[in-house]
Amino acid sequence: MGATIITSQWFLDDAIVATKRAERDYAVTVGPVVTIDGTTYQVVLDGNHSLAAALADGVSPVYTEVDRTDDLGAYLLDAGDIEGYLAHH
């Protein structure tokens, strides 16, 4: 992944992260690449606890990138509303 991964998840349940670590579940779903001021980003759509587990275990997350047809907020990207897209997620 060449893009910076961002998330809006404010709360992580430590018990869920512990389960993800025990199961070695590092699967993270990210949206399409968005570019802001020349920097590329991808938003975590699902797998915030798995991302935290991967980081805690010092391993690389297993990213799956969805395209615009699988991202419910993609209509905002199509309209050029990157800020709205980020706020949506």
Side-chain angles (χ1 to χ4, degrees):
M1 291 246 114
T4 299
I5 304 300
I6 57 175
T7 179
S8 62
Q9 182 92 14
W10 288 78
F11 174 77
L12 291 174
D13 184 318
D14 291 337
I16 294 173
V17 174
T19 299
K20 299 290 184 181
R21 292 180 74 185
E23 296 174 352
R24 292 185 170 88
D25 178 356
Y26 308 126
V28 180
T29 303
V30 295
V33 172
V34 295
T35 302
I36 303 170
D37 297 329
T39 302
T40 57
Y41 300 92
Q42 286 183 283
V43 177
V44 174
L45 302 178
D46 187 42
N48 287 290
H49 288 92
S50 294
L51 177 60
L55 295 173
D57 288 347
V59 300
S60 296
V62 179
Y63 291 110
T64 300
E65 180 178 338
V66 299
D67 62 24
R68 282 175 148 74
T69 60
D70 293 323
D71 182 349
L72 296 177
Y75 71 94
L76 294 163
L77 288 178
D78 294 337
D81 185 3
I82 293 173
E83 288 183 24
Y85 176 78
L86 295 174
H88 174 79
H89 289 298

